[in-house]
Structure formats: structure tokens, C-alpha cells
Amino acid sequence: MCQVEEEYDEQLERAAVPSVSKKCVKCKEGTAAVVIKAGDAYCRECFKEYFIHKFRAMLGKNRIIFPAEKVLLAVSGGPSSCSMLRQVQEGLSQNAHNKLRFLPGIVYIDEGGAIGQSVEERQRTVAELCAVFKAAGLPFHIVPLEQVLDLPTSVLQATGPSASERPASEYKAAVDHFIQRNSSSCLTHGEQKEPSLPDVQEPHTQSLQQLMLSAKTLTAKEDLLNTLRQHLLVHTARTEGYSKLMLGDNCTRLAVKLLTNVSLGRGAQLAQDTGFSDSRYGDIILVRPMRDYSAKEIGLYNHLFNVASVFNPSLETKTSEKASIQRLTEGFVTRLQADFPSTVSIIYRTGEKLQTACKSSSTGDHGDRCLLCMCALDSAVDQASAFNMTLISEQLSQIKSSGKTNAELPRPNQAQFVPESNAPTGQCCSSGGGEDCGRAASGGGCCSSDKVTETPNLKSLLCYSCKLTVKDLSSPDHLPLYILSEAQRRQRRSHMREEISEFLLDDGDDGD
């Protein structure tokens, strides 16, 4: 304890402050130019070698991208995706040590219509990105987000086997075959025509803005925009002949995404949303080669080696920290990372241990997958579960407003289907025309009277998180036509399966 008569004339000892080494920790000779974390100081050349090696080691370790395979790079203009583009560009150079063997292309999704940008602002951003893409010397595609309104329903259907399931021996054989051939001829794209900017029709832009405005919260808008963007990327990869889609998600972004998905009830899809590869779409594999880089490393690399990036505003631009769950989680992780530098690394390493339980999509039936995110439905759980208790609580809260009794309320996870018929009103749906379908004799009227005139019920086709997103919309009628058409197709198949369920054999009866 302090004493009243105690003297403090003696000078206090100064605590030793840990100093950063002025020499590179790798070569021990060069002057340190960057400090990634405490004790990791690199000179300029060693940092570049470290950065490049991490990118190529990530691709070589997973062995998903085969030689001479077409890979589409999704570049948004941000620091992470532009840094990924630089790594691919340097990996294709003639003096590269471990030369990349795939055929890259670039795609940019213009989201200006969704956030209310003017035509002049969108054209200015596209012009800046086109200059960056031309300097890279790779073929590129400019796709406005409005094209998502004209997508076919095949986007929501996984086609073909997953290429990531090919054995390692096949990869080695492909590499040997590639080396025996003239590799220089395999990596030439030929004469590339300058892509013309597609004309965006004003009604499409208005429909897209109306869809975004129908979401009541910024959380639902960001989740919906991310889903539509991914659908458009997959469709572009398929139509242009690419089999891999390379994303620029870095370690910091994936750490924020992991906690955000848990908060949004998307915990069952964490392994696919944050892992290196994502095979939910079957023939198109999503890969994340930048997932080992932190945002600090990418920023230092771009600054030291003049990697050009283009600022592109998003829905989160100039919003408060509590505007959405995504924004709040990002602020929380960023502040925690500033005080505890191992925060992002711990969250990221935890996500690496997660594995997906998604079923294979080799069959033509996709009823066990979410209509929007294409992940396995997490609603097929026991009756005594937290998910079903949440649904029951929601239904009970609607009793007073709707006036229904408990017996009239549907059971959780019960598919609500209204049969659809293309027969005109007042005419029997029978193809013969001279005979009815049999329901008129029973007093029920022709089934053409049940013709669907409203949006199909989407609850039974969505996972928990996507269900909350659609629930936040003012009306599901604003969703793109390909989503509503696929919902009707799945409901018709489900209804048909229920009708013939007595004649179907169970999986355990195949050997009988």
C-alpha cells in the first residue's frame, strides 16, 4: 500500500518496449519493408515471393483445377479480386517458376442498377475496369445484373458430376500429358475481340430496383443480392464454357462471413460458403484461392507493387454499423482484430475444420436442395427440434390475426401445393376434350378450376435462412421469373410423387 510519508524522488524504471527487427526475417540481409504481424518483417522481394508462393501453394495443394481447364475469375474491382487477377497474370508469364496451366477469363457483374447508380456512373466504372482488364491481356465479360431477370431455370439445377471428386492419380496423369504437349500452344487465347457493353433496358433496371426495394431490411437486401450475383456468375460460366469459377474472398472476409452466416441461421452451409471449393452447382466448381490472405496482406501487396483497383460502391457504402447484420459483424471483427491480432486467424481456422453434409446431385431430383442458395435443406429435422418449435411459435402468433384454429394450421415442413393446369377456365383439363378428368362427376368440378394465379408457396422449398430473406420481402411476386418457375416445377414433382407414393419402392426394398 502507498504510505503517506513515502518518497517518490527515485526515477521510475521504463518498461522495455518490444522493437521490430529492421532486417528481413527470411533473407536476414534486406531492410524490412512490411510487418505482417509481430516478428514477421519482410523486405520487398521476400514479401513478394512469400505472397506469390502462398497463392500457388493453395492451388497446388487442393488439385482441383486441371491443366488446360477454363477458369473464370470473378473480379469486382476491389483490392482482393484485383490482387487475385495479378497473381494469375504473373503465373502465366514466361519467366514464372511454377507456371499456371489453366486458361483464365474475367467476368465483372455490374451491380449499379441495384444500388441506384446513374447510367453515367456505371459507364465510368466499367470503362476503368475495362482498362485494367485489357492491361491483364485476358478475355473478359461485362455482365449487368439486370440479366439475372432473364436467366433460365437450369441455373437452379445442379448438372453433371462434381469435378472436385476426381482422384489425385487422374490429376497427375493430366499434368504429365500436359507437359508432354506443347504447353505454350495450350495457353494462347488467340485473337480476342473487345467485348461490347450490353445495352441495359430501362424496364429491367426498374424491375431490379423494385425487387431490391421490396426487401424491408438491409440484411435481406445484401443476402438477396449475393444470391442473385452468384446465380448470374454460374450462368455466365456455363454459357461461356468455363468449368471453374474463382472468387476473391480473403481470410478477413471469410471470417466475417462465417459469423454472419451463423447469425442468419445459415450454419448448415458454412463449409460450402467459406471452404476452398464449393460444388453445390455440380458442373461449376467455386474456388477461393485468396482465403489464406488477410486484408492487411492484400493491402500491403497492392500498395508496394502498384496493383490497380477500382472503387465500386455497394449497398453498405455510407451506412451505419448497425444498419445490417453483415455490417455489424464486420465492425465487431475489425475492432476485435485491432486489439487481438489473432482473431481473424482463429475464426478462419475454425471454419476450416467444418465439413459439408450436402448430398450429391447426380440425380435429376433437386427437391432436397434450397431453391435459392442450392444447399441441402436444413428443414428436414425431427419434430422435437428448435427449428420446428420456431415454426410452431410463428404459426400460433398468427392465430389471432387470421382467426384459424389449431386444427386448421398446417404442420411444420408440410408442403403446401396448389396444382397447376394450363387448361383455360371453363374447359376440362383432359387432353381428349371429349371426356372430363373425373372430378366433375364427384361434384368437385374440373381440376382446371385450381389453376394457379398467384405466387407459389416457397416455404417448403427454402432453407431456414433463405426463408427469412423471402419473408422479409413485401411480396414474393417481385422475385425473378426463373425462381418462381422452378418453384412451380418442384411443387408439381412433389405433388406427383405423393400421388404415386404407394407404387414406389423404398431404398431398402431394392434387393428384395
Side-chain angles (χ1 to χ4, degrees):
M1 296 179 62
C2 298
Q3 302 295 332
V4 177
E5 299 178 356
E6 188 174 356
E7 297 180 359
Y8 299 94
D9 296 336
E10 298 180 0
Q11 186 177 2
L12 299 178
E13 296 181 359
R14 182 180 298 273
V17 179
S19 60
V20 179
S21 175
K22 295 183 180 180
K23 295 294 182 180
C24 176
V25 297
K26 186 175 181 181
C27 65
K28 309 295 182 181
E29 296 178 358
T31 304
V34 296
V35 179
I36 299 177
K37 56 183 178 181
D40 289 348
Y42 291 90
C43 64
R44 181 185 178 93
E45 296 301 325
C46 290
F47 176 68
K48 182 178 181 179
E49 182 180 350
Y50 155 82
F51 199 91
I52 294 176
H53 172 74
K54 183 183 286 190
F55 181 83
R56 299 181 187 176
M58 174 65 71
L59 295 178
K61 178 178 65 175
N62 292 274
R63 295 187 174 183
I64 290 181
I65 302 178
F66 280 58
E69 193 171 17
K70 297 186 66 175
V71 180
L72 188 62
L73 280 63
V75 180
S76 63
S80 184
S81 60
C82 288
S83 180
M84 177 183 67
L85 176 60
R86 172 65 67 87
Q87 296 307 304
V88 174
Q89 182 182 0
E90 293 186 355
L92 295 174
S93 61
Q94 295 295 333
N95 55 355
H97 178 59
N98 293 324
K99 193 173 181 180
L100 300 178
R101 302 184 179 98
F102 56 83
L103 297 172
I106 307 172
V107 60
Y108 167 69
I109 304 297
D110 180 15
E111 304 174 3
I115 60 178
Q117 281 188 319
S118 62
V119 178
E120 293 76 11
E121 292 175 338
R122 299 176 64 179
Q123 291 179 348
R124 189 184 311 116
T125 302
V126 170
E128 294 178 4
L129 284 170
C130 285
V132 175
F133 297 158
K134 291 177 182 178
L138 300 177
F140 60 93
H141 312 275
I142 307 297
V143 183
L145 188 62
E146 285 84 350
Q147 291 189 6
V148 78
L149 301 175
D150 299 327
L151 291 184
T153 58
S154 59
V155 177
L156 303 177
Q157 301 171 10
T159 59
S162 174
S164 62
E165 299 175 357
R166 300 166 70 177
S169 59
E170 188 176 345
Y171 179 84
K172 294 179 181 179
V175 173
D176 295 339
H177 181 67
F178 178 83
I179 294 176
Q180 292 177 0
R181 295 187 304 171
N182 186 7
S183 60
S184 60
S185 62
C186 296
L187 295 179
T188 56
H189 295 275
E191 188 72 18
Q192 295 293 336
K193 298 181 180 179
E194 182 177 351
S196 59
L197 300 181
D199 296 332
V200 181
Q201 299 180 1
E202 185 64 25
H204 283 67
T205 304
Q206 295 178 357
S207 300
L208 181 62
Q209 293 178 353
Q210 189 177 11
L211 171 61
M212 301 306 299
L213 291 176
S214 64
K216 303 175 185 177
T217 62
L218 183 60
T219 300
K221 290 181 180 180
E222 294 183 14
D223 194 37
L224 181 61
L225 179 60
N226 180 67
T227 300
L228 297 179
R229 182 196 307 119
Q230 196 169 88
H231 290 174
L232 189 55
L233 286 174
V234 171
H235 174 71
T236 304
R238 283 177 177 168
T239 55
E240 299 297 334
Y242 294 89
S243 57
K244 299 293 187 301
L245 182 61
M246 192 174 288
L247 307 178
D249 296 333
N250 56 54
C251 177
T252 306
R253 176 60 57 186
L254 291 178
V256 174
K257 192 174 185 179
L258 190 147
L259 296 182
T260 301
N261 285 6
V262 173
S263 304
L264 295 176
R266 203 180 289 275
Q269 296 87 14
L270 285 180
Q272 292 178 298
D273 289 338
T274 61
F276 174 77
S277 62
D278 184 358
S279 59
R280 73 181 72 179
Y281 294 98
D283 57 336
I284 304 297
I285 309 298
L286 281 63
V287 294
R288 302 178 179 92
M290 303 294 292
R291 65 190 306 264
D292 267 356
Y293 296 97
S294 64
K296 179 181 179 180
E297 292 175 334
I298 294 175
L300 291 174
Y301 181 85
N302 293 354
H303 175 72
L304 288 177
F305 302 102
N306 301 322
V307 178
S309 60
V310 178
F311 172 73
N312 201 357
S314 63
L315 291 174
E316 295 181 347
T317 304
K318 295 184 179 181
T319 58
S320 62
E321 191 176 83
K322 298 181 180 180
S324 66
I325 294 179
Q326 294 90 339
R327 185 73 178 86
L328 182 62
T329 306
E330 181 181 4
F332 169 74
V333 174
T334 303
R335 290 195 307 270
L336 202 59
Q337 174 71 11
D339 297 332
F340 304 94
S342 61
T343 299
V344 170
S345 177
I346 292 176
I347 300 175
Y348 167 71
R349 298 302 174 187
T350 303
E352 273 191 331
K353 301 176 183 179
L354 300 174
Q355 295 182 355
T356 178
C358 183
K359 300 179 182 179
S360 176
S361 313
S362 57
T363 61
D365 188 11
H366 306 92
D368 58 343
R369 288 178 173 264
C370 177
L371 181 65
L372 294 182
C373 67
M374 286 294 293
C375 288
L377 287 177
D378 54 3
S379 56
V381 294
D382 297 334
Q383 293 294 329
S385 62
F387 175 75
N388 282 328
M389 295 304 103
T390 304
L391 296 181
I392 293 175
S393 177
E394 179 183 351
Q395 293 172 359
L396 291 176
S397 63
Q398 298 175 355
I399 294 179
K400 184 176 180 180
S401 58
S402 62
K404 294 182 179 181
T405 62
N406 293 342
E408 296 174 343
L409 290 176
R411 294 182 179 179
N413 299 334
Q414 182 180 359
Q416 301 177 12
F417 173 79
V418 180
E420 180 185 23
S421 175
N422 296 324
T425 306
Q427 180 180 354
C428 182
C429 64
S430 176
S431 59
E435 57 183 19
D436 57 27
C437 59
R439 293 184 56 180
S442 59
C446 178
C447 60
S448 63
S449 60
D450 296 330
K451 182 179 179 180
V452 176
T453 57
E454 68 278 353
T455 304
N457 194 322
L458 304 177
K459 290 185 178 180
S460 61
L461 306 175
L462 301 174
C463 64
Y464 178 74
S465 179
C466 293
K467 193 177 300 183
L468 295 180
T469 301
V470 174
K471 180 182 176 181
D472 203 26
L473 299 178
S474 59
S475 174
D477 295 331
H478 298 299
L479 289 173
L481 181 61
Y482 74 97
I483 296 179
L484 300 179
S485 299
E486 176 65 14
Q488 293 180 354
R489 189 192 71 85
R490 292 190 183 186
Q491 287 182 338
R492 288 195 298 265
R493 290 180 63 89
S494 177
H495 180 65
M496 179 172 38
R497 181 177 292 273
E498 291 179 1
E499 290 183 343
I500 64 175
S501 59
E502 298 179 357
F503 309 98
L504 298 178
L505 296 177
D506 297 336
D507 295 338
D509 299 338
D510 293 342
D512 295 344

